[in-house]
Amino acid sequence: MRDFDEITSFLGEFGLFQILMFLLLSASSIPNGYMGMIIVFLADVPEHHCKLSINSEENATDQGIPFHEKSSKIGPDTCSRYKLTKNSTEKAEFVNDTESCLDGWVFSTEIYTSTIVSEWNLVCDNAWKVPLSISVFFFGVLIGSIVTGHLSDRFGRKPVFFCTMAIGTVMPLIQATSVTWEMFCIFNCLRGLGQVSSFIASLVLGSEILSKSTRVHFTLLGHCVCFGLGYCCVPLFAYFIRGWRMLLVTSAIPGFLYIPMWWVIPESPRWLVLKGRMEEAETVIRKAAKLNRVPAPEVIFKASDCVELMQNKGDEEQKTYSYMDLIRTTNLRNITVINICLWAACSMIFYGLSISTSNMNGNVFLNHLISAGMEVLAYVATWILASRVPRPIMLFFTLLFCGITLLPISLIPEDMDVISNVLAMLGKLSVSGSYSFLYLFSTELLPTVVRNMGLGVYATAGRIGSLLCPYVVYIGLYSKKLPYVVFGIMSIVAAVLSISLPDTKGCELPDSISQAKPIKCFSCKAAAQS
């Protein structure tokens, strides 16, 4: 059968149809960027101290004292307070003996009116619930990646894309009504299930609808930059909306705007062809030709194309594929194992550095805005370099640079926070580029018949990394430098693995498993043996 890109070449490279799909599918990742990063403000820990005993007169006399000064008078740390005793004049006063915060805590409202931490007292003995609150979101994404990848390859890209977007739209509204921490976590998990699943589904849909020359622009400039713009919206919205409930509600608005898009965004014609649904594929292509104002051939898929397709029904195109096909052949198994390691490392570093931005000195909203700006800059730079640099070399150097910038942070003195912050931001810049580049690279490495399942598995590995990253960041409470050491080492190891992957720059998307390019070490060995 002729190559799909060759058959549909009459549509042109970038007509009205391609522009429309480019913009709509790229814009769909804006709420993904917003929802993926909103947790850093929902679960931020405000300044706090023990609540005074009801017998204390300090509540009335210390109203004008700054919060941090009052905290030092009440107790030696945020988890204990000085005991109150009565002197000879029967007036209560503090003594050096301490006790736990028996009456709860008072949280500063200088930055936030409320977060889930102040809502349910997630401090001291309950501080472990904060990283868990973040991890359950990524656990939901993990489950969604496993389920939706298989469903998308079996039932189509379009229905899975819209279903997962609907989940990501409705769940925040319900989550905003949470009355307990447990309820918040349950719906945070469900929100995660819809978030990155729709991101991957729209990425695959766009990659298969658009031509190979547009694919790089869509993945890096369109899809990933819009994800970064969604992240940019988080600190801006959080600055004006200081309560966690309303901040969640705002994340649901973009999803409702996409309801009419069901009648605009088509199913992937490439997927339809591989499922043998030629008439439906022709309908999509003819509508695209009409939008582009180009004449469509009277017969788009010739008899020879259909005959070859029917001959392959028993083995490739009409075969029902499963996750086992990702490891059935040696070549695809090697590609899968390497990608799993790369995705896990990149995801842990990317989200770990994003979450730890709240721990930097300075204005929390400005720090996150700079971090988000670094992401957008990384996506644009990656897009510029992607058409000029071989894929493995590009991935190798971005990951290596990330490791080189993060490891020296452990050697910088505590009083030189500015240098540490600059190096951390440079690390975030490079890992953002490599993480976005993985979506493009992995899409090109995987055959169409298992592409969505493969991306689902890779995303699952990434979610395992992101599940663990809150706890790596949590280590920073005891050693601020240690998380950067962990992230730096992982980045360098991932860089070494990436160099063995084959270069796919300028290549057609493989449709069958046999068309997948071999990784370098095995292809070189085969060449030597021959």
Side-chain angles (χ1 to χ4, degrees), residues 25-258:
L25 291 173
S26 294
S28 70
S29 64
I30 292 177
N32 286 302
Y34 186 99
M35 288 192 293
M37 297 299 181
I38 196 176
I39 191 65
V40 297
F41 291 102
L42 301 180
D44 203 4
V45 183
E47 195 174 358
H48 57 281
H49 61 66
C50 289
K51 186 179 291 186
L52 294 173
S53 170
I54 56 174
N55 297 321
S56 173
E57 299 176 5
E58 296 292 322
N59 287 315
T61 60
D62 286 355
Q63 293 300 318
I65 298 178
F67 194 90
H68 65 278
E69 290 185 19
K70 189 174 181 180
S71 299
S72 62
K73 289 184 63 178
I74 292 172
D77 54 54
T78 59
C79 295
S80 62
R81 68 184 183 188
Y82 295 117
K83 287 184 177 180
L84 283 171
T85 60
K86 290 188 177 181
N87 58 21
S88 57
T89 61
E90 296 297 319
K91 182 179 179 180
E93 60 180 18
F94 291 116
V95 296
N96 287 331
D97 290 338
T98 61
E99 62 185 0
S100 61
C101 300
L102 302 177
D103 298 298
W105 291 263
V106 175
F107 292 87
S108 170
T109 56
E110 293 175 6
I111 299 178
Y112 308 103
T113 58
S114 67
T115 69
I116 64 168
V117 175
S118 60
E119 184 89 15
W120 294 301
N121 292 329
L122 306 184
V123 292
C124 300
D125 290 342
N126 287 322
W128 60 271
K129 293 183 178 180
V130 177
L132 183 59
S133 303
I134 301 172
S135 291
V136 293
F137 172 82
F138 292 114
F139 180 74
V141 176
L142 186 153
I143 299 300
S145 300
I146 296 172
V147 174
T148 56
H150 183 72
L151 293 177
S152 182
D153 279 333
R154 175 161 292 193
F155 299 109
R157 294 18 176 161
K158 178 181 175 178
V160 171
F161 166 59
F162 280 96
C163 285
T164 51
M165 177 168 275
I167 293 172
T169 300
V170 175
M171 288 304 112
L173 297 177
I174 304 175
Q175 189 182 11
T177 65
S178 299
V179 293
T180 63
W181 173 75
E182 290 78 9
M183 179 180 175
F184 175 89
C185 287
I186 290 171
F187 287 105
N188 208 33
C189 180
L190 295 175
R191 184 170 63 87
L193 188 146
Q195 188 253 350
V196 172
S197 300
S198 65
F199 181 84
I200 294 175
S202 63
L203 177 67
V204 172
L205 183 57
S207 297
E208 294 181 351
I209 287 177
L210 299 172
S211 62
K212 68 175 182 179
S213 62
T214 313
R215 197 178 302 135
V216 175
H217 308 311
F218 167 71
T219 304
L220 298 177
L221 188 62
H223 215 250
C224 288
V225 166
C226 284
F227 182 91
L229 292 176
Y231 181 18
C232 287
C233 291
V234 177
L236 294 175
F237 276 72
Y239 180 79
F240 293 103
I241 304 172
R242 302 297 180 98
W244 69 273
R245 294 183 189 273
M246 283 306 300
L247 199 57
L248 267 175
V249 170
T250 58
S251 68
I253 296 173
F256 289 106
L257 300 177
Y258 257 72

Side-chain angles (χ1 to χ4, degrees), residues 330-343:
T330 301
N331 181 50
L332 202 55
R333 180 167 59 249
N334 292 327
I335 290 174
T336 298
V337 170
I338 293 173
N339 271 282
I340 284 174
C341 296
L342 291 176
W343 279 69

Side-chain angles (χ1 to χ4, degrees), residues 317-382:
E317 278 74 7
Q318 290 300 312
K319 178 183 175 182
T320 300
Y321 287 86
S322 69
Y323 289 103
M324 291 301 298
D325 289 290
L326 293 169
I327 58 174
R328 202 176 301 279
T329 63
T330 301
N331 181 50
L332 202 55
R333 180 167 59 249
N334 292 327
I335 290 174
T336 298
V337 170
I338 293 173
N339 271 282
I340 284 174
C341 296
L342 291 176
W343 279 69
C346 284
S347 183
M348 176 181 284
I349 300 166
F350 175 80
Y351 285 105
L353 292 177
S354 298
I355 294 169
S356 63
T357 303
S358 298
N359 299 329
M360 293 180 178
N361 291 333
N363 185 288
V364 63
F365 304 105
L366 182 59
N367 286 343
H368 276 285
L369 188 60
I370 293 172
S371 177
M374 285 290 186
E375 274 193 39
V376 175
L377 179 62
Y379 299 147
V380 174
T382 305

